[in-house]
PDB file of all heavy atoms in Angstrom:
ATOM      1  N   CYS A   1      90.919 100.094  99.885  1.00 37.00           N
ATOM      2  CA  CYS A   1      89.816 101.046  99.923  1.00 37.00           C
ATOM      3  C   CYS A   1      90.050 102.255  99.042  1.00 37.00           C
ATOM      4  O   CYS A   1      89.147 103.084  98.894  1.00 37.00           O
ATOM      5  CB  CYS A   1      89.548 101.489 101.362  1.00 37.00           C
ATOM      6  SG  CYS A   1      90.975 102.069 102.251  1.00 37.00           S
ATOM      7  N   ARG A   2      91.187 102.404  98.421  1.00 30.00           N
ATOM      8  CA  ARG A   2      91.421 103.572  97.584  1.00 30.00           C
ATOM      9  C   ARG A   2      90.613 103.539  96.296  1.00 30.00           C
ATOM     10  O   ARG A   2      90.522 104.533  95.587  1.00 30.00           O
ATOM     11  CB  ARG A   2      92.911 103.719  97.268  1.00 30.00           C
ATOM     12  CG  ARG A   2      93.664 104.352  98.435  1.00 30.00           C
ATOM     13  CD  ARG A   2      95.091 104.666  98.094  1.00 30.00           C
ATOM     14  NE  ARG A   2      95.760 105.261  99.234  1.00 30.00           N
ATOM     15  CZ  ARG A   2      97.082 105.415  99.325  1.00 30.00           C
ATOM     16  NH1 ARG A   2      97.845 104.994  98.339  1.00 30.00           N
ATOM     17  NH2 ARG A   2      97.624 105.956 100.378  1.00 30.00           N
ATOM     18  N   LEU A   3      89.999 102.376  95.980  1.00 33.00           N
ATOM     19  CA  LEU A   3      89.110 102.339  94.830  1.00 33.00           C
ATOM     20  C   LEU A   3      87.858 103.158  95.101  1.00 33.00           C
ATOM     21  O   LEU A   3      87.159 103.557  94.192  1.00 33.00           O
ATOM     22  CB  LEU A   3      88.707 100.894  94.509  1.00 33.00           C
ATOM     23  CG  LEU A   3      89.796 100.003  93.937  1.00 33.00           C
ATOM     24  CD1 LEU A   3      89.219  98.627  93.666  1.00 33.00           C
ATOM     25  CD2 LEU A   3      90.363 100.582  92.651  1.00 33.00           C
ATOM     26  N   LYS A   4      87.568 103.409  96.382  1.00 35.00           N
ATOM     27  CA  LYS A   4      86.330 104.083  96.729  1.00 35.00           C
ATOM     28  C   LYS A   4      86.532 105.418  97.439  1.00 35.00           C
ATOM     29  O   LYS A   4      85.634 106.233  97.483  1.00 35.00           O
ATOM     30  CB  LYS A   4      85.484 103.160  97.632  1.00 35.00           C
ATOM     31  CG  LYS A   4      84.750 102.097  96.835  1.00 35.00           C
ATOM     32  CD  LYS A   4      83.645 102.738  96.016  1.00 35.00           C
ATOM     33  CE  LYS A   4      82.998 101.741  95.094  1.00 35.00           C
ATOM     34  NZ  LYS A   4      81.923 102.316  94.289  1.00 35.00           N
ATOM     35  N   CYS A   5      87.673 105.666  98.029  1.00 34.00           N
ATOM     36  CA  CYS A   5      87.877 106.942  98.704  1.00 34.00           C
ATOM     37  C   CYS A   5      89.356 107.263  98.806  1.00 34.00           C
ATOM     38  O   CYS A   5      90.206 106.423  98.574  1.00 34.00           O
ATOM     39  CB  CYS A   5      87.252 106.931 100.109  1.00 34.00           C
ATOM     40  SG  CYS A   5      88.123 105.917 101.307  1.00 34.00           S
ATOM     41  N   ASN A   6      89.658 108.492  99.156  1.00 32.00           N
ATOM     42  CA  ASN A   6      91.047 108.938  99.236  1.00 32.00           C
ATOM     43  C   ASN A   6      91.448 109.316 100.657  1.00 32.00           C
ATOM     44  O   ASN A   6      92.462 109.969 100.875  1.00 32.00           O
ATOM     45  CB  ASN A   6      91.253 110.160  98.329  1.00 32.00           C
ATOM     46  CG  ASN A   6      91.019 109.816  96.874  1.00 32.00           C
ATOM     47  OD1 ASN A   6      91.484 108.792  96.406  1.00 32.00           O
ATOM     48  ND2 ASN A   6      90.292 110.668  96.166  1.00 32.00           N
ATOM     49  N   THR A   7      90.640 108.906 101.636  1.00 32.00           N
ATOM     50  CA  THR A   7      90.886 109.346 103.002  1.00 32.00           C
ATOM     51  C   THR A   7      91.280 108.229 103.938  1.00 32.00           C
ATOM     52  O   THR A   7      91.306 108.403 105.141  1.00 32.00           O
ATOM     53  CB  THR A   7      89.629 110.027 103.562  1.00 32.00           C
ATOM     54  OG1 THR A   7      88.547 109.089 103.536  1.00 32.00           O
ATOM     55  CG2 THR A   7      89.278 111.263 102.762  1.00 32.00           C
ATOM     56  N   CYS A   8      91.551 107.038 103.400  1.00 40.00           N
ATOM     57  CA  CYS A   8      91.845 105.903 104.260  1.00 40.00           C
ATOM     58  C   CYS A   8      93.307 105.913 104.696  1.00 40.00           C
ATOM     59  O   CYS A   8      94.198 106.159 103.902  1.00 40.00           O
ATOM     60  CB  CYS A   8      91.556 104.593 103.533  1.00 40.00           C
ATOM     61  SG  CYS A   8      89.873 104.515 102.937  1.00 40.00           S
ATOM     62  N   ASP A   9      93.539 105.608 105.960  1.00 40.00           N
ATOM     63  CA  ASP A   9      94.897 105.571 106.498  1.00 40.00           C
ATOM     64  C   ASP A   9      95.352 104.125 106.601  1.00 40.00           C
ATOM     65  O   ASP A   9      95.295 103.508 107.657  1.00 40.00           O
ATOM     66  CB  ASP A   9      94.939 106.236 107.883  1.00 40.00           C
ATOM     67  CG  ASP A   9      94.587 107.712 107.820  1.00 40.00           C
ATOM     68  OD1 ASP A   9      95.007 108.353 106.847  1.00 40.00           O
ATOM     69  OD2 ASP A   9      93.898 108.191 108.727  1.00 40.00           O
ATOM     70  N   SER A  10      95.796 103.554 105.478  1.00 50.00           N
ATOM     71  CA  SER A  10      96.259 102.175 105.455  1.00 50.00           C
ATOM     72  C   SER A  10      97.733 102.137 105.112  1.00 50.00           C
ATOM     73  O   SER A  10      98.234 102.954 104.351  1.00 50.00           O
ATOM     74  CB  SER A  10      95.476 101.369 104.413  1.00 50.00           C
ATOM     75  OG  SER A  10      94.114 101.363 104.710  1.00 50.00           O
ATOM     76  N   ASP A  11      98.439 101.173 105.690  1.00 57.00           N
ATOM     77  CA  ASP A  11      99.864 101.010 105.438  1.00 57.00           C
ATOM     78  C   ASP A  11     100.089  99.861 104.481  1.00 57.00           C
ATOM     79  O   ASP A  11      99.225  99.027 104.268  1.00 57.00           O
ATOM     80  CB  ASP A  11     100.600 100.722 106.756  1.00 57.00           C
ATOM     81  CG  ASP A  11     100.419 101.845 107.760  1.00 57.00           C
ATOM     82  OD1 ASP A  11     100.450 103.016 107.347  1.00 57.00           O
ATOM     83  OD2 ASP A  11     100.244 101.521 108.940  1.00 57.00           O
ATOM     84  N   ALA A  12     101.279  99.833 103.892  1.00 70.00           N
ATOM     85  CA  ALA A  12     101.651  98.707 103.043  1.00 70.00           C
ATOM     86  C   ALA A  12     101.812  97.465 103.918  1.00 70.00           C
ATOM     87  O   ALA A  12     102.120  97.560 105.099  1.00 70.00           O
ATOM     88  CB  ALA A  12     102.955  99.022 102.320  1.00 70.00           C
ATOM     89  N   PRO A  13     101.590  96.265 103.354  1.00 71.00           N
ATOM     90  CA  PRO A  13     101.758  95.036 104.131  1.00 71.00           C
ATOM     91  C   PRO A  13     103.174  94.918 104.685  1.00 71.00           C
ATOM     92  O   PRO A  13     104.141  95.262 104.017  1.00 71.00           O
ATOM     93  CB  PRO A  13     101.482  93.939 103.101  1.00 71.00           C
ATOM     94  CG  PRO A  13     100.651  94.593 102.053  1.00 71.00           C
ATOM     95  CD  PRO A  13     101.125  96.005 101.983  1.00 71.00           C
ATOM     96  N   THR A  14     103.292  94.427 105.915  1.00 80.00           N
ATOM     97  CA  THR A  14     104.596  94.222 106.527  1.00 80.00           C
ATOM     98  C   THR A  14     105.223  92.951 105.964  1.00 80.00           C
ATOM     99  O   THR A  14     104.557  92.139 105.325  1.00 80.00           O
ATOM    100  CB  THR A  14     104.459  94.086 108.049  1.00 80.00           C
ATOM    101  OG1 THR A  14     103.715  92.884 108.337  1.00 80.00           O
ATOM    102  CG2 THR A  14     103.741  95.295 108.649  1.00 80.00           C
ATOM    103  N   GLU A  15     106.512  92.757 106.236  1.00 77.00           N
ATOM    104  CA  GLU A  15     107.184  91.543 105.776  1.00 77.00           C
ATOM    105  C   GLU A  15     106.564  90.309 106.417  1.00 77.00           C
ATOM    106  O   GLU A  15     106.438  89.258 105.774  1.00 77.00           O
ATOM    107  CB  GLU A  15     108.684  91.618 106.089  1.00 77.00           C
ATOM    108  CG  GLU A  15     109.435  92.636 105.255  1.00 77.00           C
ATOM    109  CD  GLU A  15     109.263  92.397 103.754  1.00 77.00           C
ATOM    110  OE1 GLU A  15     109.396  91.231 103.322  1.00 77.00           O
ATOM    111  OE2 GLU A  15     108.979  93.369 103.019  1.00 77.00           O
ATOM    112  N   ALA A  16     106.160  90.434 107.690  1.00 63.00           N
ATOM    113  CA  ALA A  16     105.533  89.307 108.376  1.00 63.00           C
ATOM    114  C   ALA A  16     104.214  88.941 107.709  1.00 63.00           C
ATOM    115  O   ALA A  16     103.891  87.760 107.528  1.00 63.00           O
ATOM    116  CB  ALA A  16     105.293  89.646 109.847  1.00 63.00           C
ATOM    117  N   GLU A  17     103.449  89.949 107.308  1.00 63.00           N
ATOM    118  CA  GLU A  17     102.178  89.697 106.642  1.00 63.00           C
ATOM    119  C   GLU A  17     102.385  89.074 105.276  1.00 63.00           C
ATOM    120  O   GLU A  17     101.656  88.159 104.869  1.00 63.00           O
ATOM    121  CB  GLU A  17     101.385  90.997 106.544  1.00 63.00           C
ATOM    122  CG  GLU A  17     100.852  91.466 107.894  1.00 63.00           C
ATOM    123  CD  GLU A  17     100.303  92.868 107.865  1.00 63.00           C
ATOM    124  OE1 GLU A  17     100.620  93.625 106.927  1.00 63.00           O
ATOM    125  OE2 GLU A  17      99.565  93.231 108.804  1.00 63.00           O
ATOM    126  N   LYS A  18     103.387  89.559 104.545  1.00 58.00           N
ATOM    127  CA  LYS A  18     103.710  88.946 103.254  1.00 58.00           C
ATOM    128  C   LYS A  18     104.092  87.479 103.439  1.00 58.00           C
ATOM    129  O   LYS A  18     103.759  86.631 102.614  1.00 58.00           O
ATOM    130  CB  LYS A  18     104.842  89.715 102.583  1.00 58.00           C
ATOM    131  CG  LYS A  18     104.469  91.119 102.107  1.00 58.00           C
ATOM    132  CD  LYS A  18     105.665  91.804 101.470  1.00 58.00           C
ATOM    133  CE  LYS A  18     105.330  93.218 101.015  1.00 58.00           C
ATOM    134  NZ  LYS A  18     106.501  93.892 100.420  1.00 58.00           N
ATOM    135  N   GLY A  19     104.790  87.194 104.524  1.00 62.00           N
ATOM    136  CA  GLY A  19     105.188  85.818 104.804  1.00 62.00           C
ATOM    137  C   GLY A  19     103.996  84.921 105.074  1.00 62.00           C
ATOM    138  O   GLY A  19     103.965  83.765 104.642  1.00 62.00           O
ATOM    139  N   GLU A  20     103.005  85.452 105.787  1.00 58.00           N
ATOM    140  CA  GLU A  20     101.793  84.673 106.066  1.00 58.00           C
ATOM    141  C   GLU A  20     101.031  84.370 104.784  1.00 58.00           C
ATOM    142  O   GLU A  20     100.493  83.278 104.615  1.00 58.00           O
ATOM    143  CB  GLU A  20     100.889  85.426 107.051  1.00 58.00           C
ATOM    144  CG  GLU A  20     101.416  85.490 108.470  1.00 58.00           C
ATOM    145  CD  GLU A  20     101.433  84.131 109.155  1.00 58.00           C
ATOM    146  OE1 GLU A  20     100.851  83.164 108.618  1.00 58.00           O
ATOM    147  OE2 GLU A  20     102.032  84.034 110.233  1.00 58.00           O
ATOM    148  N   VAL A  21     100.975  85.331 103.876  1.00 56.00           N
ATOM    149  CA  VAL A  21     100.301  85.098 102.595  1.00 56.00           C
ATOM    150  C   VAL A  21     101.052  84.033 101.800  1.00 56.00           C
ATOM    151  O   VAL A  21     100.448  83.140 101.201  1.00 56.00           O
ATOM    152  CB  VAL A  21     100.204  86.405 101.787  1.00 56.00           C
ATOM    153  CG1 VAL A  21      99.662  86.123 100.388  1.00 56.00           C
ATOM    154  CG2 VAL A  21      99.310  87.408 102.496  1.00 56.00           C
ATOM    155  N   ALA A  22     102.375  84.122 101.801  1.00 51.00           N
ATOM    156  CA  ALA A  22     103.187  83.167 101.049  1.00 51.00           C
ATOM    157  C   ALA A  22     103.015  81.747 101.580  1.00 51.00           C
ATOM    158  O   ALA A  22     102.873  80.795 100.807  1.00 51.00           O
ATOM    159  CB  ALA A  22     104.655  83.577 101.094  1.00 51.00           C
ATOM    160  N   VAL A  23     103.017  81.598 102.911  1.00 51.00           N
ATOM    161  CA  VAL A  23     102.919  80.257 103.487  1.00 51.00           C
ATOM    162  C   VAL A  23     101.539  79.663 103.249  1.00 51.00           C
ATOM    163  O   VAL A  23     101.385  78.438 103.186  1.00 51.00           O
ATOM    164  CB  VAL A  23     103.266  80.273 105.000  1.00 51.00           C
ATOM    165  CG1 VAL A  23     102.110  80.823 105.836  1.00 51.00           C
ATOM    166  CG2 VAL A  23     103.647  78.880 105.484  1.00 51.00           C
ATOM    167  N   SER A  24     100.533  80.513 103.075  1.00 57.00           N
ATOM    168  CA  SER A  24      99.189  79.991 102.809  1.00 57.00           C
ATOM    169  C   SER A  24      99.145  79.259 101.468  1.00 57.00           C
ATOM    170  O   SER A  24      98.290  78.391 101.253  1.00 57.00           O
ATOM    171  CB  SER A  24      98.151  81.123 102.814  1.00 57.00           C
ATOM    172  OG  SER A  24      98.262  81.936 101.671  1.00 57.00           O
ATOM    173  N   GLY A  25     100.068  79.600 100.562  1.00 49.00           N
ATOM    174  CA  GLY A  25     100.130  78.926  99.268  1.00 49.00           C
ATOM    175  C   GLY A  25     100.421  77.445  99.383  1.00 49.00           C
ATOM    176  O   GLY A  25     100.088  76.665  98.481  1.00 49.00           O
ATOM    177  N   LYS A  26     101.023  77.033 100.502  1.00 44.00           N
ATOM    178  CA  LYS A  26     101.335  75.617 100.702  1.00 44.00           C
ATOM    179  C   LYS A  26     100.081  74.771 100.905  1.00 44.00           C
ATOM    180  O   LYS A  26     100.132  73.547 100.821  1.00 44.00           O
ATOM    181  CB  LYS A  26     102.255  75.447 101.917  1.00 44.00           C
ATOM    182  CG  LYS A  26     103.630  76.067 101.758  1.00 44.00           C
ATOM    183  CD  LYS A  26     104.464  75.831 103.014  1.00 44.00           C
ATOM    184  CE  LYS A  26     105.849  76.426 102.896  1.00 44.00           C
ATOM    185  NZ  LYS A  26     106.665  76.190 104.118  1.00 44.00           N
ATOM    186  N   THR A  27      98.955  75.439 101.203  1.00 55.00           N
ATOM    187  CA  THR A  27      97.724  74.690 101.454  1.00 55.00           C
ATOM    188  C   THR A  27      96.975  74.352 100.166  1.00 55.00           C
ATOM    189  O   THR A  27      95.999  73.604 100.195  1.00 55.00           O
ATOM    190  CB  THR A  27      96.772  75.493 102.360  1.00 55.00           C
ATOM    191  OG1 THR A  27      96.344  76.679 101.668  1.00 55.00           O
ATOM    192  CG2 THR A  27      97.471  75.891 103.657  1.00 55.00           C
ATOM    193  N   ALA A  28      97.406  74.906  99.034  1.00 57.00           N
ATOM    194  CA  ALA A  28      96.704  74.677  97.767  1.00 57.00           C
ATOM    195  C   ALA A  28      96.763  73.210  97.373  1.00 57.00           C
ATOM    196  O   ALA A  28      97.826  72.580  97.413  1.00 57.00           O
ATOM    197  CB  ALA A  28      97.310  75.539  96.663  1.00 57.00           C
ATOM    198  N   LEU A  29      95.615  72.665  97.006  1.00 51.00           N
ATOM    199  CA  LEU A  29      95.530  71.262  96.605  1.00 51.00           C
ATOM    200  C   LEU A  29      95.415  71.139  95.087  1.00 51.00           C
ATOM    201  O   LEU A  29      94.694  71.892  94.447  1.00 51.00           O
ATOM    202  CB  LEU A  29      94.302  70.604  97.246  1.00 51.00           C
ATOM    203  CG  LEU A  29      94.256  70.555  98.769  1.00 51.00           C
ATOM    204  CD1 LEU A  29      92.943  69.920  99.221  1.00 51.00           C
ATOM    205  CD2 LEU A  29      95.438  69.777  99.328  1.00 51.00           C
TER     206      LEU A  29
END
């Protein structure tokens, strides 16, 4: 959301979240 505003309270992705994104790559056909 920083492309549109400077007031958002968002954190960087956690290691667990990065892991979920990585494992989703296994579904690519």
Side-chain angles (χ1 to χ4, degrees):
C1 52
R2 280 187 180 167
L3 290 181
K4 281 290 173 180
C5 72
N6 297 315
T7 60
C8 304
D9 296 322
S10 300
D11 300 320
T14 65
E15 290 304 314
E17 289 169 342
K18 291 179 181 179
E20 289 292 349
V21 173
V23 77
S24 72
K26 295 180 180 180
T27 65
L29 298 178

